[in-house]
Amino acid sequence: MKKVLSLLLAGVMCAGLLAGCGQTTPSSTAAPGSTAGSGDSTPANKTIDTLRVAFVPSREPDEIITATEPLKQLLTDELAKLGYDVGEVDITVGTSYEAVGEALSAGTADVGLIPGGTYVLYDDGCDVLLTATRDGLSIDSDNAKDWNDNAPTEPTTEQVTGYRALMIAGPSEKGKALAAKVNAGEALTWEDVSGANWSVANSSSPAGYIYPSLWLQENFDKNITELPHAVQSDSYGSAFARLASGQVDVLCTYADARRDYVDEWTGEYGMTNSIWDDTAVVGVTPAIYNDTISVSKTSPIMDDDFKAALSEAFINIGNTEEGKEVIAIYSHNGYLPAQSSDYDSERAAQEMIQSLNSAG
């Protein structure tokens, strides 16, 4: 099993590396149906009454809605240049990751900004268009102690197509005990981790569930469902709130999450020390392929021409400062074209998780 996991996780890292090589940004094209060099004979733009864009609740829903409000006009403007007049851009946040996947499959959402794990679960009903790029981090080590010795993590100018999941211990007595053992260079045991209260995300979340489960399998030959004290948080914000209050000792999250919640830690969550002083990394996964922009296969407005225009519109938005401010809510910095096979390693991970859950 460990050999299989090693090959699988190596494949994830390779997939992330390949995504950054050999792919090109589509060049601008004439509006669908236009004729180059025909002067005034260029047809009028096609009309889209409503474009429905759904986000997963990886941050607080109100925060996502507020941050992405400018995206409505940005998309409208970019699509107009590419041959489509959009009457309204409707942005919603799903009640869960699965809810967004189901909306794409049902055609009640046209576009979804979803993790790779959610995409592969619902790829019968949606197509992947783009993969997000993120700022790299100043720390990128397999060793949890390195993250603690060199904290805080800082962004770099390098753009990456993958990110790590971290298991982060909080300021509770048990959390501090786990951190002390890791920082002393000692390996954690199953008794150590099973005795802690864990916060996990829903089962389609790569950083909050899937890859932490693979980490448990690799290190302890255990499934995440075998953790006797685990609760599912509906967002990373609520997970960090629980960590700060001591309701949980460890949470599973993406590598730069503490940077995203540094202000809430001493503000909304009422902590005296900084998040970097109160928390420590106790586990690290290999790289996870970045989030997707995926589109519904059953949406009545989605054809090849419009998908091409959407792809170019999002890429163009990600190349502007105003656009970067909007997509920063998901720690995205830009977008590159994607294809279904980029997420084959994620499919393998999902299959293993489902197999492990069935066995359990």
Side-chain angles (χ1 to χ4, degrees):
M1 174 64 74
K2 291 188 176 181
K3 182 175 180 181
V4 171
L5 282 164
S6 297
L7 291 171
L8 167 64
L9 296 175
V12 173
M13 298 177 71
C14 289
L17 291 171
L18 288 173
C21 303
Q23 299 198 57
T24 58
T25 301
S27 59
S28 296
T29 58
S34 64
T35 303
S38 58
D40 295 335
S41 64
T42 301
N45 282 2
K46 294 182 179 180
T47 299
I48 301 291
D49 291 333
T50 304
L51 177 64
R52 300 161 300 176
V53 181
F55 287 77
V56 294
S58 59
R59 302 288 294 267
E60 295 300 325
D62 289 346
E63 186 180 359
I64 294 173
I65 291 294
T66 300
T68 58
E69 178 65 26
L71 181 61
K72 296 178 180 180
Q73 192 61 50
L74 291 173
L75 269 175
T76 299
D77 292 344
E78 286 296 329
L79 287 169
K81 299 174 189 176
L82 297 166
Y84 292 89
D85 291 331
V86 178
E88 178 187 4
V89 176
D90 178 33
I91 293 179
T92 58
V93 180
T95 55
S96 67
Y97 289 46
E98 289 86 355
V100 178
E102 289 166 2
L104 289 170
S105 295
T108 55
D110 305 308
V111 182
L113 279 81
I114 57 177
T118 307
Y119 161 64
V120 301
L121 282 177
Y122 293 93
D123 60 1
D124 285 344
C126 63
D127 290 317
V128 61
L129 293 185
L130 302 169
T131 293
T133 64
R134 296 169 180 252
D135 291 333
L137 292 176
S138 55
I139 308 170
D140 185 28
S141 171
D142 295 321
N143 187 350
K145 185 176 184 298
D146 291 340
W147 291 77
N148 301 328
D149 290 344
N150 297 290
T153 54
E154 299 291 348
T156 68
T157 57
E158 179 188 7
Q159 292 302 292
V160 296
T161 54
Y163 63 101
R164 294 178 184 270
L166 301 179
M167 277 58 73
I168 296 176
S172 66
E173 182 178 350
K174 181 64 175 179
K176 289 179 178 178
L178 294 175
K181 192 167 184 178
V182 167
N183 290 334
E186 301 176 27
L188 297 179
T189 65
W190 173 244
E191 287 70 26
D192 292 327
V193 298
S194 64
N197 295 316
W198 285 68
S199 171
V200 300
N202 63 74
S203 60
S204 72
S205 171
Y209 190 97
I210 296 170
Y211 284 79
S213 189
L214 292 172
W215 178 81
L216 289 169
Q217 181 69 22
E218 175 74 9
N219 287 278
F220 309 108
D221 199 25
K222 297 290 185 179
N223 186 0
I224 200 167
T225 59
E226 294 180 80
L227 289 170
H229 312 293
V231 295
Q232 180 178 314
S233 296
D234 58 3
S235 70
Y236 288 122
S238 62
F240 272 102
R242 285 173 167 167
L243 192 71
S245 68
Q247 294 178 51
V248 298
D249 306 306
V250 182
L251 62 76
C252 305
T253 189
Y254 55 97
D256 49 348
R258 287 182 294 177
R259 292 181 55 239
D260 289 341
Y261 289 96
V262 65
D263 292 334
E264 286 86 346
W265 192 261
T266 53
E268 181 182 343
Y269 306 153
M271 302 301 287
T272 302
N273 297 323
S274 79
I275 197 170
W276 305 104
D277 293 328
D278 279 341
T279 65
V281 177
V282 296
V284 184
T285 75
I288 306 166
Y289 213 73
N290 278 348
D291 294 342
T292 78
I293 293 180
S294 297
V295 296
S296 172
K297 290 182 178 179
T298 56
S299 165
I301 66 171
M302 206 60 62
D303 57 23
D304 289 343
D305 285 341
F306 189 51
K307 286 192 285 187
L310 270 175
S311 293
E312 187 163 354
F314 271 106
I315 288 172
N316 291 344
I317 288 169
N319 286 333
T320 67
E321 289 306 313
E322 185 179 5
K324 289 182 188 298
E325 288 181 13
V326 173
I327 63 178
I329 188 69
Y330 274 0
S331 300
H332 296 178
N333 197 66
Y335 299 101
L336 288 172
Q339 54 190 357
S340 179
S341 60
D342 292 338
Y343 291 87
D344 283 348
S345 294
E346 185 66 42
R347 291 184 178 90
Q350 290 278 3
E351 289 172 3
M352 180 168 287
I353 291 298
Q354 291 171 10
S355 175
L356 293 172
N357 287 344
S358 298

